[in-house]
């Protein structure tokens, strides 16, 4: 808490209502409604803090629930308003007066509670392997969900293989720990495999850390502060024995893990943990990374909000992709803008989520790359489902998967 006990609300104090942030806000652009933009929401949050609006106020809840939490409004704000911190404080205040919806709670249990999520992910993988999700993908709630699952599909060339000794040994082998997460482990283990392989080629030995759990990001976004803190404490304890970097390949998890110091009220162990967190592309970029074989692909990079805005990691994913000779790399036209995924947002606000996605999809379909690269599971699923529904043949992959394919083509793996 900040002095005076105002928590994240204090981060909103500098807002001068200039409106520079409006054009960076995907929900404002989709609806044109001031209350669906940052300036309007800041006014609502201030009214909540000052008691002018009750936490039960339906209008307040409606517009705060429709915020993606993408923080696209932060970097464009000339006054340095900390919108994300204010939003978290407001959502925590709302959660004290209401429980998360049944749908949100069911989704959180299914996705993050180890006893149940193991069964859910196994069933999802079996369904994915049947090929049905890809065939059923389309618009509409169920068909979009099928498209999301199909978008997690393991590409044959990404299957796990051992790393072979490269012909030129790395200069300084170094240890890192891998944060596995829940959705990443359940549906994107091929990205973990690609992470471990590409890190090995660049001289990193990846250590597995037992006892780690979900990062708690989805709980924090839903205002479930105590649950998010419980996950944070468990992860801090699990990783406490080491001092090596904690490598993360999910932007949403990385942003949450870096916030553990604040989340646990300045606990020094949590602050130490947070300082060790690195996105996989940052670690690879430090080593070059080593170039692979040419791939001859047109690749468009779309920045996950939780990497670009929340963690301020912009260049490293591009550095990783540039290590692949022969690719024609570009940023998507609206790379800095949210795709509408935002954790459980697509489930809880399906219409606005799709409305936010629509302009990004239209631009992609207009000038399609071979691969759309992005480093967050939610974005891969949202963009992958949208592209399937639009019948566009564009693969959506994590940047390390592209590098991994290049390394495989170069013969770095058995
Ligand atoms: S948040 Fe920043 S950019 Fe937006 S209205 Fe306030 S001061 Fe202006
Ligand atoms: S966090 Fe994203 S959706 Fe929410 S007000 Fe800021 S730009 Fe708009």
């Amino acid at each position: 808490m900040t002095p005076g006990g105002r928590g994240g609300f204090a981060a909103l104090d500098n807002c001068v209502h200039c409106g520079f942030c409006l054009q960076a806000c995907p929900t404002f652009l989709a609806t044109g409604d001031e209350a669906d933009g940052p300036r309007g929401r800041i006014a609502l949050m201030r009214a909540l803090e000052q008691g002018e609006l009750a936490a039960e106020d339906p209008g307040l809840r409606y517009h705060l629930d429709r915020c993606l939490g993408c923080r696209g409004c932060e970097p464009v704000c000339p006054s340095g308003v900390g919108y994300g911190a204010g939003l978290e404080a407001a959502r925590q205040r709302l959660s004290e007066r209401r429980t998360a919806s049944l749908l949100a709670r069911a989704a959180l249990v299914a996705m993050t509670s180890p006893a149940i999520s193991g069964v859910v992910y196994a069933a999802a993988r079996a369904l994915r392997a049947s090929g049905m999700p890809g065939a059923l993908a389309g618009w509409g709630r169920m068909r979009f969900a099928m498209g999301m699952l199909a978008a997690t599909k393991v590409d044959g060339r990404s299957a796990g293989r051992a790393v072979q000794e490269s012909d030129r040994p790395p200069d300084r082998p170094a240890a890192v720990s891998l944060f596995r997460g829940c959705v990443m482990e359940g549906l994107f283990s091929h990205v973990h495999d690609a992470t471990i392989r590409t890190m090995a080629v660049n001289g990193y030995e990846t250590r597995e850390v037992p006892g780690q759990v979900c990062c708690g990001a989805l709980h924090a976004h839903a205002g479930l502060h105590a649950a998010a803190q419980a996950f944070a404490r468990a992860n801090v304890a699990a990783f406490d024995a080491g001092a090596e970097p904690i490598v993360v390949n999910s932007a949403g998890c990385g942003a949450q893990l870096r916030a553990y110091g604040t989340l646990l009220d300045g606990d020094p162990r949590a602050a130490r943990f947070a300082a060790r967190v690195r996105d996989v592309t940052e670690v690879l970029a430090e080593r070059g990374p080593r170039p692979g074989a040419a791939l001859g692909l047109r690749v468009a990079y779309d920045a996950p909000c939780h990497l670009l805005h929340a963690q301020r990691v912009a260049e490293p994913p591009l550095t990783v992709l540039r290590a692949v000779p022969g690719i024609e790399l570009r940023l998507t036209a609206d790379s800095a803008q949210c795709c509408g995924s935002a954790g459980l947002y697509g489930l809880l606000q399906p219409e606005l989520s799709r409305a936010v996605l629509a302009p990004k999809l239209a631009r992609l379909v207009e000038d399609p790359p071979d691969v759309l690269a992005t480093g967050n599971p939610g974005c891969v699923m949202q963009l992958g489902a949208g592209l399937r529904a639009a019948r566009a043949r564009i693969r959506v992959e994590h940047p390390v998967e592209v590098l991994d394919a290049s390394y495989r083509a170069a013969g770095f793996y058995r």
Side-chain angles (χ1 to χ4, degrees), residues 179 232 234-240 244-246 248 253-254 256-261 267-278:
F179 182 76
N235 281 323
V236 169
F239 284 85
D240 206 33
E244 68 280 0
I246 300 167
V248 188
C253 302
Q256 180 68 9
L257 298 175
R258 285 192 210 249
Y260 275 6
D267 171 352
R269 284 170 73 208
R272 242 187 347 264
F273 173 101
R276 291 167 57 198
V277 173
R278 311 292 303 283

Side-chain angles (χ1 to χ4, degrees), residues 21-29 35-42 45 63-64 66-74 76 83-84 87 91 305 309 337-338 345 356:
C21 51
L22 296 183
Q23 294 305 314
C25 175
T27 55
F28 175 78
L29 293 178
D36 277 334
R39 185 171 59 184
R41 289 185 178 124
I42 287 169
M45 290 191 271
H63 291 293
L64 291 190
R66 283 157 67 88
C67 175
L68 292 150
C70 67
R71 295 168 64 176
C73 44
E74 281 189 21
V76 296
Y83 182 91
L87 180 68
R91 285 187 167 162
C305 300
H309 303 313
Q337 221 158 68
C338 185
Y345 194 90
V356 167

Side-chain angles (χ1 to χ4, degrees), residues 14-21 39 42 77-79 81:
N14 287 347
C15 180
V16 293
H17 318 293
C18 63
F20 283 172
C21 51
R39 185 171 59 184
I42 287 169
C77 171
S79 304
V81 169

